[in-house]
Amino acid sequence: MPELRIKGLFDNIDHELLMKAVRKHTDCPWVILYIERWLKAPFQMKDGSQRVRTSGTPQGDVISPVLANLFMHYTFDIWMTKEHSQNPWARYADDAVIHCRTKAEAEQLLERLKVRFKVCNLELHPKKTRIVYCKDDDRKEDHPEIKFDFLGYTFRPRRSKNRFGKYFINFTPAVSNKACKALRQTIRGWRMHLKPDKEIQDLSQMFNASIRGWINYYGHFYKSQLYPVLRHMNDALVVWARRKYKKLARHKIRAIRWLGRLAKNLPELFAHWRLGILPAAG
């Protein structure tokens, strides 16, 4: 299956082709006028000079992802539906995966995609576009690429168990290492150790919704892969407790046990406590 990434999508969108797509969805002159002005607005360099924009759409705003997605809808989505309806695919922004039955079919499709994107003044990223072999118990060939990341998940061969209790190798997703690192950085960014004025219920109201969202999204497959992140959250709560209570300040084990008892008594405070991911010492 090909995994593809567009090289510099936001910087290289063709204005003429994009406006052609916009006009297919609206004939309102004000909408068309302001979108054209937005695309062509010059940007200012560090030295104060202005540079004319001839392609691309400015990043960091609300409308650019919408326009980029509209462009990709006609460049990729509609084209795939018409030309390769037999190949299932999924796309998010400039990242996509396409399922093929054979390596030869994947190679041929990849070449056609290069031509298609070149016609639309885009280019596939040379390092992030590749063919991946979905290895499992039914596909046992050896290939250099047997895993890929998509939407925060890593898809690769994993040991699974069927309904009869028999183990087998299945090509399935789980939260990626990159996503776990980003979640841990988010927890550190909450700076709970600087909030000793807050109560545990306050922290729950501030952060529990995010934790619940992580579990609902990343815990759909191989939930155990998310457990290290949830334990990191417990560690951050332990640091908060040691900052808040003087009797726990110099006693890490005592703080962990205190938080563990609290989690058992009030598991509804945090979503991961309800899963049984509780602070534990020793």
Side-chain angles (χ1 to χ4, degrees):
M1 62 176 292
E3 177 199 10
L4 58 97
R5 178 73 63 86
I6 309 300
K7 183 179 180 181
L9 173 62
F10 286 92
D11 297 328
N12 297 299
I13 290 179
D14 186 283
H15 287 175
E16 184 177 347
L17 292 177
L18 177 56
M19 290 310 303
K20 183 179 179 181
V22 170
R23 290 186 178 95
K24 287 181 67 69
H25 291 269
T26 181
D27 58 358
C28 177
W30 289 106
V31 172
I32 295 173
L33 174 65
Y34 280 114
I35 290 178
E36 284 183 320
R37 285 182 176 178
W38 171 254
L39 292 175
K40 296 179 181 179
F43 55 90
Q44 186 170 318
M45 308 298 290
K46 289 183 178 181
D47 60 2
S49 62
Q50 289 191 344
R51 186 173 177 182
V52 178
R53 192 185 303 275
T54 58
S55 64
T57 177
Q59 299 187 47
D61 57 90
V62 175
I63 193 174
S64 286
V66 177
L67 294 176
N69 194 58
L70 180 64
F71 189 86
M72 286 297 295
H73 175 70
Y74 289 101
T75 301
F76 178 80
D77 302 356
I78 298 296
W79 183 81
M80 280 295 301
T81 302
K82 290 181 178 179
E83 302 293 331
H84 297 276
S85 58
Q86 75 279 8
N87 297 105
W89 55 271
R91 179 185 67 83
Y92 182 81
D94 60 345
D95 199 2
V97 293
I98 309 169
H99 295 273
C100 296
R101 296 175 181 84
T102 65
K103 182 180 180 181
E105 182 185 16
E107 291 174 341
Q108 183 180 16
L109 176 55
L110 195 56
E111 290 303 315
R112 292 204 63 191
L113 282 167
K114 290 179 181 179
V115 174
R116 171 60 180 172
F117 283 117
K118 186 176 181 180
V119 170
C120 298
N121 297 321
L122 291 177
E123 180 184 357
L124 292 176
H125 198 292
K127 294 183 179 179
K128 297 181 180 179
T129 300
R130 58 206 176 109
I131 295 176
V132 179
Y133 183 66
C134 302
K135 189 172 184 177
D136 59 16
D137 268 358
D138 296 323
R139 296 180 287 259
K140 299 183 179 181
E141 298 180 22
D142 291 325
H143 291 272
E145 301 288 351
I146 58 172
K147 68 176 182 178
F148 66 93
D149 286 1
F150 186 62
L151 298 181
Y153 279 92
T154 294
F155 293 74
R156 66 173 178 83
R158 301 178 192 274
R159 192 166 179 254
S160 303
K161 185 168 65 172
N162 62 21
R163 58 177 178 169
F164 304 108
K166 182 180 178 181
Y167 288 96
F168 66 102
I169 301 300
N170 195 16
F171 194 85
T172 50
V175 59
S176 67
N177 292 335
K178 185 177 179 180
C180 287
K181 181 179 178 180
L183 296 181
R184 288 192 294 268
Q185 288 177 341
T186 298
I187 293 173
R188 287 192 289 270
W190 290 341
R191 301 171 68 86
M192 283 182 284
H193 62 287
L194 300 181
K195 296 178 173 61
D197 57 312
K198 303 295 184 182
E199 299 296 330
I200 190 73
Q201 291 82 0
D202 298 326
L203 298 182
S204 174
Q205 292 180 359
M206 295 168 69
F207 308 124
N208 194 41
S210 295
I211 299 171
R212 189 186 305 114
W214 298 344
I215 294 172
N216 290 341
Y217 182 74
Y218 292 110
H220 194 68
F221 300 98
Y222 279 86
K223 190 178 294 183
S224 60
Q225 292 292 109
L226 190 60
Y227 288 175
V229 173
L230 303 178
R231 294 191 185 100
H232 186 76
M233 179 64 186
N234 283 337
D235 293 340
L237 288 171
V238 168
V239 175
W240 165 83
R242 295 179 66 188
R243 286 292 187 94
K244 182 173 181 62
Y245 301 106
K246 290 183 178 181
K247 65 179 181 180
L248 303 176
R250 298 185 180 182
H251 304 280
K252 181 178 178 179
I253 300 300
R254 187 184 298 176
I256 295 173
R257 289 173 176 167
W258 173 84
L259 194 63
R261 290 193 298 270
L262 183 66
K264 289 181 179 179
N265 293 329
L266 298 172
E268 70 282 355
L269 276 180
F270 292 97
H272 64 295
W273 288 0
R274 299 187 69 176
L275 291 179
I277 312 299
L278 308 178

